[in-house]
Amino acid sequence: MSKGFVVDLKRCIGCKACVVACKLRYELPEGVARRAVRTREFAETPMRCFLSLACNHCEHPACIPICPQAALSKDAEGRVIHDPGKCIGCRRCEFACPYDAICYDLETGTITKCDACATRSDGPRCVAACHAKALSWVDVDASFTLAAAQVVKDGKALLPDPRQTTPHLKVVR
């Protein structure tokens, strides 16, 4: 069964502990991140929300078929995995991803992206680092597709239309 991230907008406080944990785990240079916390503000209310995003390990990822070197693939658990040995740094996958989840690393000349800490037996480091418990890594079920399609706040979409990629991301409001 595939797994996916759940982000609870009511719990996320925008502290970016998830971002820091990922950067430390992968020793990423300045300006390179596999996870980002996006702030969304709404003009009609003084409210803002924080949305922690990384690769959504989509059911139908836009990044895989566009890679000319087959440097991206899905593993048995549904994670989209990058092989830096095959990557030529053309950045086609970066531009194809509707979630801005792929980052180019100037030092290596290749892209980098979340692999949901595939080599960690206890799950993604970002989830473990979230002291607000706003982030979790769970089995994907039918509710994910519905949730992704309804990620709106005050009538404005927080994410691109999920119908083409079917992201394994569930945002709870």
Side-chain angles (χ1 to χ4, degrees):
M1 174 169 272
S2 293
K3 292 193 155 290
F5 287 107
V6 175
V7 181
D8 187 334
L9 294 179
K10 290 179 183 159
R11 291 175 115 9
C12 185
I13 59 172
C15 70
K16 299 183 182 177
C18 55
V19 175
V20 172
C22 181
K23 284 186 77 70
L24 291 173
R25 172 164 177 12
Y26 291 98
E27 300 176 356
L28 299 172
E30 186 175 339
V32 177
R34 291 180 170 197
R35 176 166 286 283
V37 175
R38 308 235 169 89
T39 303
R40 299 289 195 250
E41 298 188 32
F42 303 95
E44 58 276 354
T45 67
M47 302 294 288
R48 75 172 55 158
C49 70
F50 303 100
L51 182 59
S52 178
L53 290 174
C55 176
N56 296 320
H57 304 284
C58 300
E59 190 68 33
H60 308 288
C63 59
I64 290 177
I66 202 144
C67 179
Q69 298 300 114
L72 293 161
S73 61
K74 288 187 77 156
D75 71 6
E77 292 188 19
R79 289 182 287 243
V80 176
I81 303 296
H82 173 247
D83 181 345
K86 291 181 178 179
C87 184
I88 59 172
C90 69
R91 302 176 78 174
R92 289 180 186 176
C93 58
E94 178 186 11
F95 302 127
C97 176
Y99 303 101
D100 295 325
I102 298 174
C103 187
Y104 184 73
D105 184 339
L106 286 170
E107 287 183 14
T108 64
T110 63
I111 63 100
T112 187
K113 61 168 290 307
C114 168
D115 63 2
C117 295
T119 59
R120 278 178 55 105
S121 62
D122 56 346
R125 181 71 185 101
C126 57
V127 172
C130 183
H131 58 83
K133 305 292 183 225
L135 199 55
S136 54
W137 179 246
V138 302
D139 290 335
V140 172
D141 60 27
S143 70
F144 271 67
T145 302
L146 178 63
Q150 296 177 340
V151 181
V152 295
K153 183 161 177 69
D154 299 334
K156 294 185 182 176
L158 295 177
L159 294 171
D161 187 338
R163 288 179 282 193
Q164 290 187 351
T165 62
T166 316
H168 288 178
L169 171 71
K170 185 174 185 176
V171 178
V172 179
R173 296 176 277 148

PDB file of all heavy atoms in Angstrom, residues 5-34:
ATOM      1  N   PHE A   5       1.686  11.989   2.838  1.00  0.00           N
ATOM      2  CA  PHE A   5       1.760  12.965   3.917  1.00  0.00           C
ATOM      3  C   PHE A   5       0.378  13.521   4.234  1.00  0.00           C
ATOM      4  O   PHE A   5      -0.423  13.756   3.336  1.00  0.00           O
ATOM      5  CB  PHE A   5       2.671  14.139   3.532  1.00  0.00           C
ATOM      6  CG  PHE A   5       4.129  13.805   3.535  1.00  0.00           C
ATOM      7  CD1 PHE A   5       4.821  13.659   2.346  1.00  0.00           C
ATOM      8  CD2 PHE A   5       4.815  13.634   4.731  1.00  0.00           C
ATOM      9  CE1 PHE A   5       6.174  13.353   2.339  1.00  0.00           C
ATOM     10  CE2 PHE A   5       6.168  13.331   4.739  1.00  0.00           C
ATOM     11  CZ  PHE A   5       6.846  13.190   3.541  1.00  0.00           C
ATOM     12  N   VAL A   6       0.130  13.752   5.509  1.00  0.00           N
ATOM     13  CA  VAL A   6      -1.051  14.476   5.969  1.00  0.00           C
ATOM     14  C   VAL A   6      -0.535  15.732   6.659  1.00  0.00           C
ATOM     15  O   VAL A   6       0.362  15.659   7.505  1.00  0.00           O
ATOM     16  CB  VAL A   6      -1.913  13.645   6.949  1.00  0.00           C
ATOM     17  CG1 VAL A   6      -3.073  14.477   7.490  1.00  0.00           C
ATOM     18  CG2 VAL A   6      -2.433  12.393   6.272  1.00  0.00           C
ATOM     19  N   VAL A   7      -1.086  16.892   6.267  1.00  0.00           N
ATOM     20  CA  VAL A   7      -0.724  18.165   6.881  1.00  0.00           C
ATOM     21  C   VAL A   7      -1.978  18.740   7.527  1.00  0.00           C
ATOM     22  O   VAL A   7      -2.994  18.909   6.852  1.00  0.00           O
ATOM     23  CB  VAL A   7      -0.174  19.164   5.832  1.00  0.00           C
ATOM     24  CG1 VAL A   7       0.210  20.478   6.500  1.00  0.00           C
ATOM     25  CG2 VAL A   7       1.000  18.572   5.087  1.00  0.00           C
ATOM     26  N   ASP A   8      -1.893  19.032   8.809  1.00  0.00           N
ATOM     27  CA  ASP A   8      -3.020  19.600   9.547  1.00  0.00           C
ATOM     28  C   ASP A   8      -2.809  21.107   9.652  1.00  0.00           C
ATOM     29  O   ASP A   8      -1.943  21.578  10.410  1.00  0.00           O
ATOM     30  CB  ASP A   8      -3.108  18.961  10.939  1.00  0.00           C
ATOM     31  CG  ASP A   8      -4.357  19.368  11.698  1.00  0.00           C
ATOM     32  OD1 ASP A   8      -4.905  20.462  11.423  1.00  0.00           O
ATOM     33  OD2 ASP A   8      -4.768  18.592  12.569  1.00  0.00           O
ATOM     34  N   LEU A   9      -3.590  21.875   8.887  1.00  0.00           N
ATOM     35  CA  LEU A   9      -3.441  23.331   8.862  1.00  0.00           C
ATOM     36  C   LEU A   9      -3.731  23.972  10.217  1.00  0.00           C
ATOM     37  O   LEU A   9      -3.194  25.036  10.519  1.00  0.00           O
ATOM     38  CB  LEU A   9      -4.365  23.941   7.806  1.00  0.00           C
ATOM     39  CG  LEU A   9      -4.069  23.597   6.352  1.00  0.00           C
ATOM     40  CD1 LEU A   9      -5.085  24.270   5.436  1.00  0.00           C
ATOM     41  CD2 LEU A   9      -2.662  23.979   5.963  1.00  0.00           C
ATOM     42  N   LYS A  10      -4.552  23.352  11.017  1.00  0.00           N
ATOM     43  CA  LYS A  10      -4.866  23.912  12.336  1.00  0.00           C
ATOM     44  C   LYS A  10      -3.704  23.738  13.313  1.00  0.00           C
ATOM     45  O   LYS A  10      -3.611  24.454  14.288  1.00  0.00           O
ATOM     46  CB  LYS A  10      -6.121  23.265  12.902  1.00  0.00           C
ATOM     47  CG  LYS A  10      -7.372  23.660  12.164  1.00  0.00           C
ATOM     48  CD  LYS A  10      -8.592  22.992  12.740  1.00  0.00           C
ATOM     49  CE  LYS A  10      -9.801  23.373  11.902  1.00  0.00           C
ATOM     50  NZ  LYS A  10     -10.892  22.444  12.039  1.00  0.00           N
ATOM     51  N   ARG A  11      -2.835  22.779  13.036  1.00  0.00           N
ATOM     52  CA  ARG A  11      -1.730  22.520  13.941  1.00  0.00           C
ATOM     53  C   ARG A  11      -0.415  23.173  13.499  1.00  0.00           C
ATOM     54  O   ARG A  11       0.422  23.498  14.318  1.00  0.00           O
ATOM     55  CB  ARG A  11      -1.519  21.022  14.092  1.00  0.00           C
ATOM     56  CG  ARG A  11      -2.665  20.341  14.856  1.00  0.00           C
ATOM     57  CD  ARG A  11      -2.491  18.861  14.883  1.00  0.00           C
ATOM     58  NE  ARG A  11      -2.256  18.074  16.035  1.00  0.00           N
ATOM     59  CZ  ARG A  11      -2.286  18.366  17.326  1.00  0.00           C
ATOM     60  NH1 ARG A  11      -2.511  19.570  17.698  1.00  0.00           N
ATOM     61  NH2 ARG A  11      -2.076  17.483  18.254  1.00  0.00           N
ATOM     62  N   CYS A  12      -0.217  23.326  12.192  1.00  0.00           N
ATOM     63  CA  CYS A  12       1.056  23.867  11.691  1.00  0.00           C
ATOM     64  C   CYS A  12       1.195  25.330  12.102  1.00  0.00           C
ATOM     65  O   CYS A  12       0.328  26.150  11.819  1.00  0.00           O
ATOM     66  CB  CYS A  12       1.145  23.726  10.176  1.00  0.00           C
ATOM     67  SG  CYS A  12       2.759  24.246   9.530  1.00  0.00           S
ATOM     68  N   ILE A  13       2.301  25.633  12.779  1.00  0.00           N
ATOM     69  CA  ILE A  13       2.546  27.000  13.257  1.00  0.00           C
ATOM     70  C   ILE A  13       3.626  27.714  12.445  1.00  0.00           C
ATOM     71  O   ILE A  13       4.032  28.817  12.773  1.00  0.00           O
ATOM     72  CB  ILE A  13       2.914  27.007  14.757  1.00  0.00           C
ATOM     73  CG1 ILE A  13       4.162  26.173  15.008  1.00  0.00           C
ATOM     74  CG2 ILE A  13       1.729  26.519  15.597  1.00  0.00           C
ATOM     75  CD1 ILE A  13       4.715  26.264  16.421  1.00  0.00           C
ATOM     76  N   GLY A  14       4.113  27.050  11.395  1.00  0.00           N
ATOM     77  CA  GLY A  14       5.102  27.677  10.522  1.00  0.00           C
ATOM     78  C   GLY A  14       6.501  27.739  11.104  1.00  0.00           C
ATOM     79  O   GLY A  14       7.316  28.544  10.664  1.00  0.00           O
ATOM     80  N   CYS A  15       6.830  26.882  12.045  1.00  0.00           N
ATOM     81  CA  CYS A  15       8.138  26.928  12.712  1.00  0.00           C
ATOM     82  C   CYS A  15       9.281  26.426  11.832  1.00  0.00           C
ATOM     83  O   CYS A  15      10.440  26.706  12.090  1.00  0.00           O
ATOM     84  CB  CYS A  15       8.103  26.140  14.011  1.00  0.00           C
ATOM     85  SG  CYS A  15       7.980  24.346  13.786  1.00  0.00           S
ATOM     86  N   LYS A  16       8.978  25.650  10.824  1.00  0.00           N
ATOM     87  CA  LYS A  16       9.929  25.099   9.856  1.00  0.00           C
ATOM     88  C   LYS A  16      10.889  24.063  10.454  1.00  0.00           C
ATOM     89  O   LYS A  16      11.948  23.796   9.895  1.00  0.00           O
ATOM     90  CB  LYS A  16      10.703  26.214   9.153  1.00  0.00           C
ATOM     91  CG  LYS A  16       9.782  27.146   8.380  1.00  0.00           C
ATOM     92  CD  LYS A  16      10.533  28.189   7.624  1.00  0.00           C
ATOM     93  CE  LYS A  16       9.510  29.100   6.935  1.00  0.00           C
ATOM     94  NZ  LYS A  16      10.144  30.186   6.241  1.00  0.00           N
ATOM     95  N   ALA A  17      10.502  23.452  11.567  1.00  0.00           N
ATOM     96  CA  ALA A  17      11.321  22.369  12.131  1.00  0.00           C
ATOM     97  C   ALA A  17      11.424  21.221  11.132  1.00  0.00           C
ATOM     98  O   ALA A  17      12.466  20.563  11.040  1.00  0.00           O
ATOM     99  CB  ALA A  17      10.723  21.883  13.451  1.00  0.00           C
ATOM    100  N   CYS A  18      10.376  20.985  10.358  1.00  0.00           N
ATOM    101  CA  CYS A  18      10.387  19.930   9.343  1.00  0.00           C
ATOM    102  C   CYS A  18      11.417  20.222   8.259  1.00  0.00           C
ATOM    103  O   CYS A  18      12.132  19.326   7.798  1.00  0.00           O
ATOM    104  CB  CYS A  18       8.995  19.762   8.741  1.00  0.00           C
ATOM    105  SG  CYS A  18       8.280  21.279   8.061  1.00  0.00           S
ATOM    106  N   VAL A  19      11.535  21.475   7.875  1.00  0.00           N
ATOM    107  CA  VAL A  19      12.491  21.893   6.847  1.00  0.00           C
ATOM    108  C   VAL A  19      13.920  21.707   7.359  1.00  0.00           C
ATOM    109  O   VAL A  19      14.777  21.155   6.673  1.00  0.00           O
ATOM    110  CB  VAL A  19      12.253  23.370   6.438  1.00  0.00           C
ATOM    111  CG1 VAL A  19      13.315  23.847   5.461  1.00  0.00           C
ATOM    112  CG2 VAL A  19      10.865  23.552   5.857  1.00  0.00           C
ATOM    113  N   VAL A  20      14.157  22.154   8.582  1.00  0.00           N
ATOM    114  CA  VAL A  20      15.488  22.057   9.180  1.00  0.00           C
ATOM    115  C   VAL A  20      15.902  20.594   9.353  1.00  0.00           C
ATOM    116  O   VAL A  20      17.038  20.220   9.047  1.00  0.00           O
ATOM    117  CB  VAL A  20      15.534  22.817  10.528  1.00  0.00           C
ATOM    118  CG1 VAL A  20      16.849  22.559  11.251  1.00  0.00           C
ATOM    119  CG2 VAL A  20      15.317  24.300  10.302  1.00  0.00           C
ATOM    120  N   ALA A  21      14.984  19.766   9.828  1.00  0.00           N
ATOM    121  CA  ALA A  21      15.298  18.345  10.023  1.00  0.00           C
ATOM    122  C   ALA A  21      15.716  17.697   8.714  1.00  0.00           C
ATOM    123  O   ALA A  21      16.676  16.917   8.671  1.00  0.00           O
ATOM    124  CB  ALA A  21      14.095  17.619  10.615  1.00  0.00           C
ATOM    125  N   CYS A  22      15.038  18.025   7.641  1.00  0.00           N
ATOM    126  CA  CYS A  22      15.366  17.476   6.319  1.00  0.00           C
ATOM    127  C   CYS A  22      16.714  17.995   5.844  1.00  0.00           C
ATOM    128  O   CYS A  22      17.550  17.239   5.357  1.00  0.00           O
ATOM    129  CB  CYS A  22      14.265  17.826   5.330  1.00  0.00           C
ATOM    130  SG  CYS A  22      14.550  17.168   3.677  1.00  0.00           S
ATOM    131  N   LYS A  23      16.940  19.297   5.986  1.00  0.00           N
ATOM    132  CA  LYS A  23      18.210  19.880   5.547  1.00  0.00           C
ATOM    133  C   LYS A  23      19.381  19.260   6.299  1.00  0.00           C
ATOM    134  O   LYS A  23      20.422  18.971   5.705  1.00  0.00           O
ATOM    135  CB  LYS A  23      18.206  21.399   5.730  1.00  0.00           C
ATOM    136  CG  LYS A  23      17.380  22.116   4.666  1.00  0.00           C
ATOM    137  CD  LYS A  23      17.495  23.605   4.747  1.00  0.00           C
ATOM    138  CE  LYS A  23      18.757  24.155   4.207  1.00  0.00           C
ATOM    139  NZ  LYS A  23      18.964  24.113   2.775  1.00  0.00           N
ATOM    140  N   LEU A  24      19.213  19.036   7.594  1.00  0.00           N
ATOM    141  CA  LEU A  24      20.286  18.424   8.382  1.00  0.00           C
ATOM    142  C   LEU A  24      20.504  16.970   7.994  1.00  0.00           C
ATOM    143  O   LEU A  24      21.639  16.524   7.854  1.00  0.00           O
ATOM    144  CB  LEU A  24      19.970  18.529   9.876  1.00  0.00           C
ATOM    145  CG  LEU A  24      20.029  19.939  10.460  1.00  0.00           C
ATOM    146  CD1 LEU A  24      19.538  19.933  11.911  1.00  0.00           C
ATOM    147  CD2 LEU A  24      21.437  20.512  10.366  1.00  0.00           C
ATOM    148  N   ARG A  25      19.424  16.235   7.821  1.00  0.00           N
ATOM    149  CA  ARG A  25      19.544  14.810   7.485  1.00  0.00           C
ATOM    150  C   ARG A  25      20.281  14.595   6.169  1.00  0.00           C
ATOM    151  O   ARG A  25      21.103  13.714   6.034  1.00  0.00           O
ATOM    152  CB  ARG A  25      18.169  14.167   7.400  1.00  0.00           C
ATOM    153  CG  ARG A  25      18.254  12.721   6.857  1.00  0.00           C
ATOM    154  CD  ARG A  25      17.054  11.922   7.079  1.00  0.00           C
ATOM    155  NE  ARG A  25      16.910  10.609   6.605  1.00  0.00           N
ATOM    156  CZ  ARG A  25      17.773   9.755   6.097  1.00  0.00           C
ATOM    157  NH1 ARG A  25      19.021  10.088   5.967  1.00  0.00           N
ATOM    158  NH2 ARG A  25      17.446   8.550   5.717  1.00  0.00           N
ATOM    159  N   TYR A  26      19.985  15.433   5.180  1.00  0.00           N
ATOM    160  CA  TYR A  26      20.579  15.267   3.862  1.00  0.00           C
ATOM    161  C   TYR A  26      21.756  16.215   3.608  1.00  0.00           C
ATOM    162  O   TYR A  26      22.284  16.247   2.503  1.00  0.00           O
ATOM    163  CB  TYR A  26      19.509  15.414   2.775  1.00  0.00           C
ATOM    164  CG  TYR A  26      18.554  14.252   2.795  1.00  0.00           C
ATOM    165  CD1 TYR A  26      17.323  14.344   3.429  1.00  0.00           C
ATOM    166  CD2 TYR A  26      18.906  13.036   2.234  1.00  0.00           C
ATOM    167  CE1 TYR A  26      16.460  13.255   3.467  1.00  0.00           C
ATOM    168  CE2 TYR A  26      18.055  11.949   2.276  1.00  0.00           C
ATOM    169  CZ  TYR A  26      16.837  12.064   2.896  1.00  0.00           C
ATOM    170  OH  TYR A  26      15.989  10.982   2.945  1.00  0.00           O
ATOM    171  N   GLU A  27      22.135  16.990   4.624  1.00  0.00           N
ATOM    172  CA  GLU A  27      23.262  17.928   4.519  1.00  0.00           C
ATOM    173  C   GLU A  27      23.137  18.791   3.265  1.00  0.00           C
ATOM    174  O   GLU A  27      24.066  18.906   2.461  1.00  0.00           O
ATOM    175  CB  GLU A  27      24.589  17.174   4.554  1.00  0.00           C
ATOM    176  CG  GLU A  27      24.787  16.393   5.829  1.00  0.00           C
ATOM    177  CD  GLU A  27      26.061  15.557   5.842  1.00  0.00           C
ATOM    178  OE1 GLU A  27      26.785  15.512   4.821  1.00  0.00           O
ATOM    179  OE2 GLU A  27      26.311  14.948   6.890  1.00  0.00           O
ATOM    180  N   LEU A  28      21.970  19.388   3.112  1.00  0.00           N
ATOM    181  CA  LEU A  28      21.689  20.192   1.930  1.00  0.00           C
ATOM    182  C   LEU A  28      22.325  21.574   2.047  1.00  0.00           C
ATOM    183  O   LEU A  28      22.293  22.185   3.116  1.00  0.00           O
ATOM    184  CB  LEU A  28      20.180  20.326   1.739  1.00  0.00           C
ATOM    185  CG  LEU A  28      19.429  19.014   1.518  1.00  0.00           C
ATOM    186  CD1 LEU A  28      17.926  19.249   1.528  1.00  0.00           C
ATOM    187  CD2 LEU A  28      19.862  18.350   0.227  1.00  0.00           C
ATOM    188  N   PRO A  29      22.893  22.087   0.965  1.00  0.00           N
ATOM    189  CA  PRO A  29      23.519  23.412   1.002  1.00  0.00           C
ATOM    190  C   PRO A  29      22.475  24.523   1.082  1.00  0.00           C
ATOM    191  O   PRO A  29      21.282  24.302   0.856  1.00  0.00           O
ATOM    192  CB  PRO A  29      24.288  23.471  -0.320  1.00  0.00           C
ATOM    193  CG  PRO A  29      23.587  22.522  -1.228  1.00  0.00           C
ATOM    194  CD  PRO A  29      23.032  21.442  -0.340  1.00  0.00           C
ATOM    195  N   GLU A  30      22.940  25.713   1.374  1.00  0.00           N
ATOM    196  CA  GLU A  30      22.065  26.879   1.442  1.00  0.00           C
ATOM    197  C   GLU A  30      21.336  27.051   0.116  1.00  0.00           C
ATOM    198  O   GLU A  30      21.911  26.879  -0.956  1.00  0.00           O
ATOM    199  CB  GLU A  30      22.888  28.130   1.740  1.00  0.00           C
ATOM    200  CG  GLU A  30      22.046  29.358   1.974  1.00  0.00           C
ATOM    201  CD  GLU A  30      22.879  30.565   2.382  1.00  0.00           C
ATOM    202  OE1 GLU A  30      24.014  30.381   2.851  1.00  0.00           O
ATOM    203  OE2 GLU A  30      22.374  31.678   2.217  1.00  0.00           O
ATOM    204  N   GLY A  31      20.055  27.355   0.201  1.00  0.00           N
ATOM    205  CA  GLY A  31      19.249  27.563  -0.995  1.00  0.00           C
ATOM    206  C   GLY A  31      18.656  26.299  -1.594  1.00  0.00           C
ATOM    207  O   GLY A  31      17.923  26.362  -2.566  1.00  0.00           O
ATOM    208  N   VAL A  32      18.976  25.145  -1.016  1.00  0.00           N
ATOM    209  CA  VAL A  32      18.456  23.869  -1.512  1.00  0.00           C
ATOM    210  C   VAL A  32      17.613  23.244  -0.407  1.00  0.00           C
ATOM    211  O   VAL A  32      18.066  23.120   0.723  1.00  0.00           O
ATOM    212  CB  VAL A  32      19.597  22.909  -1.917  1.00  0.00           C
ATOM    213  CG1 VAL A  32      19.047  21.566  -2.351  1.00  0.00           C
ATOM    214  CG2 VAL A  32      20.437  23.535  -3.027  1.00  0.00           C
ATOM    215  N   ALA A  33      16.387  22.879  -0.738  1.00  0.00           N
ATOM    216  CA  ALA A  33      15.498  22.281   0.258  1.00  0.00           C
ATOM    217  C   ALA A  33      14.608  21.239  -0.401  1.00  0.00           C
ATOM    218  O   ALA A  33      14.183  21.400  -1.539  1.00  0.00           O
ATOM    219  CB  ALA A  33      14.634  23.350   0.914  1.00  0.00           C
ATOM    220  N   ARG A  34      14.341  20.184   0.320  1.00  0.00           N
ATOM    221  CA  ARG A  34      13.427  19.146  -0.144  1.00  0.00           C
ATOM    222  C   ARG A  34      12.023  19.364   0.414  1.00  0.00           C
ATOM    223  O   ARG A  34      11.082  18.734  -0.025  1.00  0.00           O
ATOM    224  CB  ARG A  34      13.931  17.771   0.293  1.00  0.00           C
ATOM    225  CG  ARG A  34      15.200  17.347  -0.417  1.00  0.00           C
ATOM    226  CD  ARG A  34      15.628  15.988   0.057  1.00  0.00           C
ATOM    227  NE  ARG A  34      16.705  15.465  -0.772  1.00  0.00           N
ATOM    228  CZ  ARG A  34      17.054  14.201  -0.794  1.00  0.00           C
ATOM    229  NH1 ARG A  34      16.420  13.316  -0.041  1.00  0.00           N
ATOM    230  NH2 ARG A  34      18.026  13.798  -1.565  1.00  0.00           N
TER     231      ARG A  34
END
